Amino acid sequence: MTPQNASDDSRWSDLERPPLNAAALRRALVREGGLYTEVDVVQRTGSTNSDLVARAAAGKAGEGAVLVAEEQTAGKGRLDRRWTAPPRSGLFFSVLLRPAEVPVARWGWLPLLTGVAVATGLSRAAGVDTALKWPNDLLVTVGGQERKAGGILAERAGEGGVVMGVGINVTLRADELPVPQAGSLALAGAVGTDRDPLLRAVLRSLEDWYGRWRSAGGDPSVSGLQETYAAGCATLGRTVRAELPGERSVVGEAVAVDGDGRLVIATEAGVREPVGAGDIVHLRPA
């Protein structure tokens, strides 16, 4: 419900979508010895990822900095795809991580780790069954069909940092979906769509998984990340077509996620071909 005399910039222009409580989020998440060092909420920005990368480059953000936007006007997905949603209809945030003790070769696991953390946090706080589409999508079930309700984007922030960006559709209604195959937590029957506890649950889950992975030196097996990701990955066991640069494609059954976070596709020729997230243009059902 939007009051006719309320401007689009009003913090209460949509009473069904109240604003986030930045002070309460800070009290809940920023603590001595914890991952999170600051939590900022802005009303509108182009991209939280771009903003946090710029802050890191300027030396104005350390590990555990969290930037949340009530609205993104130029939210980014993989390969410069755009992510848009009405104000306060979702969770749009970025986190700066600096896993100094983890070999850079294992940083490719960070988007998958974030996916596991988001799915785990949302399952607990929203009561929604979620699944992961390799490499960076969060799926929910709406009307018996899988729909994309969220996405993850990693961007390097200088030599030692990575900004993890997350976008989750929370209260989007059917007539607000950007594309028919999109979904939201509300449409999937979430028991709760209050964004404050949802964001806290997701960030606490991320802190937990990141701590495990970092303590294991980034080893996806020792940290339990590889097994947990595979268990929640809807892509595995399905026949897929991986479209690669140069109009090349690989078709076969997605059988595993290997130790480098790559999707292993078993082709009809009997070849197991690993495909990296950075190499893929599209991954579609075959």
Side-chain angles (χ1 to χ4, degrees), residues 105 108-109 112 134-135 220 226 229 256-264 275-277:
W109 272 98
L112 308 186
W134 185 92
Q226 187 174 5
Y229 185 88
V257 174
D258 72 10
D260 294 319
R262 299 175 299 179
L263 185 69
V264 180
V275 177

Side-chain angles (χ1 to χ4, degrees), residues 30-195:
V30 178
R31 57 185 176 80
E32 188 71 29
L35 171 62
Y36 301 113
T37 51
E38 57 180 304
V39 179
D40 291 329
V41 178
V42 298
Q43 294 306 304
R44 179 185 292 118
T45 191
S47 161
T48 57
N49 259 33
S50 296
D51 292 353
L52 197 49
V53 167
R55 287 189 190 183
K60 296 180 179 179
E63 179 168 55
V66 180
L67 179 61
V68 189
E70 296 283 28
E71 179 185 10
Q72 283 194 129
T73 57
K76 296 187 291 184
R78 290 183 65 248
L79 305 175
D80 292 327
R81 296 165 188 150
R82 288 292 175 256
W83 179 287
T84 59
R88 301 192 297 277
S89 66
L91 292 173
F92 320 111
F93 65 93
S94 298
V95 182
L96 175 60
L97 302 175
R98 296 188 182 279
E101 62 277 55
V102 175
V104 174
R106 288 176 167 169
W107 287 17
W109 272 98
L110 281 170
L112 308 186
L113 181 155
T114 303
V116 167
V118 170
T120 303
L122 290 180
S123 293
R124 291 173 182 163
V128 171
D129 286 332
T130 56
L132 299 165
K133 176 186 173 185
W134 185 92
N136 68 330
D137 290 347
L138 180 80
L139 306 178
V140 296
T141 301
V142 179
Q145 296 184 327
E146 282 182 347
R147 303 279 190 90
K148 177 180 175 179
I152 295 158
L153 179 68
E155 293 189 66
R156 288 295 295 268
E159 289 299 314
V162 179
V163 168
M164 296 305 310
V166 177
I168 305 164
N169 293 337
V170 178
T171 60
L172 262 75
R173 300 178 282 269
D175 62 347
E176 294 175 318
L177 297 174
V179 292
Q181 60 268 35
S184 69
L185 301 184
L187 291 173
V191 296
T193 56
D194 184 338
R195 293 178 306 140

Side-chain angles (χ1 to χ4, degrees), residues 1-8 12-13 15:
M1 180 177 77
T2 304
Q4 292 183 349
N5 62 347
S7 73
D8 289 339
W12 294 98
S13 59
L15 298 181

